[in-house]
Amino acid sequence: MKDFVKNPLPQSIPQSLIDKLEKVETATVGHFMHSVFVDRDISATDASKRVAGTAVTLRLAANDSTLLHDVISTLRPTDILLIDRSGDNRHACWGGVVTNAAAICGFKAGVVDGPVTDVNEIRQNDFPMWSRGRSSITTKLYAQSGAFNVPVSIGGVTVNPGDAVLADESGVIVLAPAIAEEVADRALDMQAAELTLIERLKAGEPLGAITGASAMVTERL
């Protein structure tokens, strides 16, 4: 049995779809989908960031980040690296040196199902990052095992290489490429409708009257 698996990078999703997804709020998708959301404890280091891109996946052993160091500089500008930590929530596989390598390489963002360290350095490099908080205990280069571009589990969601990923202040969602465009279009339509609703609120209409909630309550009094 091989200790390491390294598969090729997946096909990138089209730039036009990435551009469209980056106009979508994950919370809008939450109005009509449920299973595509990773655990809400995986949150943004910088809540001002919203990114979309192609899922590139990595599974690491609990305390070993050898394969991360090996592949970090090979990613493309359209890629988001999602790291399955094999259930470990103690060791930070991502810190200042890895952040600098990622920023210099220029790929889109990172999502770690575990903690990170050197948060100030992540922010100073303006690198979009999502994680389960912080840890001062780091992984080491033990050359134990790892797998690159295989199906992984991130926050309870199965992620396949080549999936579409959208991450923002509210969370991270993973979409199969076959449905990503449809989801984006539906969300953008809802966001446009929300702007109209807000204008009606500003004009003096009560929210309950606009949404129908007040009529529903009245029927049941």
Side-chain angles (χ1 to χ4, degrees):
M1 180 178 179
K2 294 182 179 179
D3 295 325
F4 292 101
V5 175
K6 283 181 66 175
N7 290 318
L9 290 170
Q11 180 177 348
S12 293
I13 64 175
Q15 185 62 49
S16 58
L17 177 55
I18 292 175
D19 293 341
K20 182 180 289 189
L21 283 168
E22 288 186 339
K23 298 174 184 176
V24 171
E25 300 172 11
T26 60
T28 305
V29 179
H31 284 290
F32 60 90
M33 297 190 79
H34 294 88
S35 62
V36 299
F37 289 80
V38 308
D39 189 335
R40 64 184 182 179
D41 287 339
I42 298 177
S43 60
T45 300
D46 180 349
S48 70
K49 302 294 186 186
R50 183 191 301 163
V51 296
T54 304
V56 171
T57 64
L58 179 64
R59 185 170 62 245
L60 298 177
N63 59 354
D64 179 20
S65 56
T66 308
L67 189 56
L68 172 60
H69 284 223
D70 179 56
V71 303
I72 189 78
S73 299
T74 68
L75 274 67
R76 306 159 297 195
T78 55
D79 293 335
I80 296 178
L81 180 62
L82 297 100
I83 304 177
D84 180 341
R85 295 292 291 110
S86 302
D88 181 80
N89 200 33
R90 179 174 171 83
H91 300 85
C93 69
W94 192 290
V97 171
V98 171
T99 297
N100 277 275
I104 291 167
C105 177
F107 63 89
K108 214 57 175 298
V111 178
V112 178
D113 193 349
V116 298
T117 194
D118 299 330
V119 171
N120 283 339
E121 207 157 351
I122 294 172
R123 290 172 175 158
Q124 288 165 7
N125 277 275
D126 198 32
F127 189 80
M129 195 75 214
W130 282 257
S131 73
R132 288 189 184 272
R134 326 286 184 250
S135 176
S136 298
I137 307 172
T138 66
T139 53
K140 309 296 189 292
L141 302 184
Y142 291 133
Q144 293 172 338
S145 65
F148 185 54
N149 282 319
V150 297
V152 297
S153 177
I154 304 293
V157 174
T158 299
V159 184
N160 293 297
D163 281 346
V165 180
L166 171 63
D168 66 8
E169 61 182 315
S170 299
V172 181
I173 65 174
V174 180
L175 302 168
I179 66 167
E181 189 103 38
E182 178 184 352
V183 170
D185 287 339
R186 183 172 178 182
L188 291 173
D189 286 345
M190 292 181 71
Q191 288 172 198
E194 184 175 296
L195 294 176
T196 301
L197 183 153
I198 292 171
E199 289 304 314
R200 292 174 66 182
L201 288 172
K202 290 178 178 178
E205 291 186 62
L207 179 60
I210 297 172
T211 64
S214 294
M216 294 168 69
V217 171
T218 298
E219 288 178 3
R220 288 162 176 78
L221 288 174

